[in-house]
Amino acid sequence: MDTRHWLTIDGMLDNESQSRQERGDHHGAELAHSVRRAGWDQVPDWPRDAAGFATWPAPGQTSTLVLNAAQWALVVSGLDRWADVGDSLGIPEHAVMANEERNIAALIRARLAEQGWAPPE
């Protein structure tokens, strides 16, 4: 996957974890956080402070991430859900982000389908 996409996913997972925690879904919040941790551990040279993100990732950098089925399902469903939220706000910047989230979800679904994975219904 394009490493810059993981930045979008990480931000979405932060929102997802917080939202689930606020709703009392502690298991879901921990699942979202576990995916974030997996990204931090697996994406090469993940910056450890805000200044590090200024020049990272390098243009065209790709990363391979290994997640379990529940984690991938959360990523694609979370991208879709937060895209819907962004669209509902009626703010152009959020609509742009919503489009990016949907595009990333579609790319992930396609890659996973190539490997025989289908999201739960």
Side-chain angles (χ1 to χ4, degrees):
M1 109 173 1
D2 192 335
T3 302
R4 70 180 175 80
H5 290 165
W6 194 258
L7 291 172
T8 299
I9 293 167
D10 184 71
M12 175 278 296
L13 289 166
D14 186 38
N15 292 339
E16 187 71 14
S17 179
Q18 183 177 355
S19 174
R20 287 174 179 250
Q21 190 71 32
E22 290 170 359
R23 293 189 322 255
D25 179 5
H26 303 295
H27 173 74
E30 179 50 39
L31 178 61
H33 193 67
S34 77
V35 181
R36 290 187 80 199
R37 281 193 309 268
W40 300 336
D41 292 343
Q42 295 179 49
V43 173
D45 304 320
W46 186 268
R48 301 297 176 201
D49 58 31
F53 286 100
T55 59
W56 185 90
Q61 180 178 339
T62 60
S63 298
T64 300
L65 284 107
V66 177
L67 303 175
N68 66 38
Q71 290 172 319
W72 280 122
L74 176 64
V75 168
V76 294
S77 67
L79 286 165
D80 289 338
R81 186 169 91 79
W82 287 99
D84 289 345
V85 169
D87 278 341
S88 74
L89 299 174
I91 300 170
E93 294 83 11
H94 290 270
V96 169
M97 178 60 79
N99 189 51
E100 180 178 356
E101 289 168 331
R102 285 192 183 93
N103 288 337
I104 294 169
L107 288 169
I108 292 170
R109 280 188 183 94
R111 289 290 175 110
L112 292 173
E114 290 170 2
Q115 299 173 32
W117 182 84
E121 297 294 327

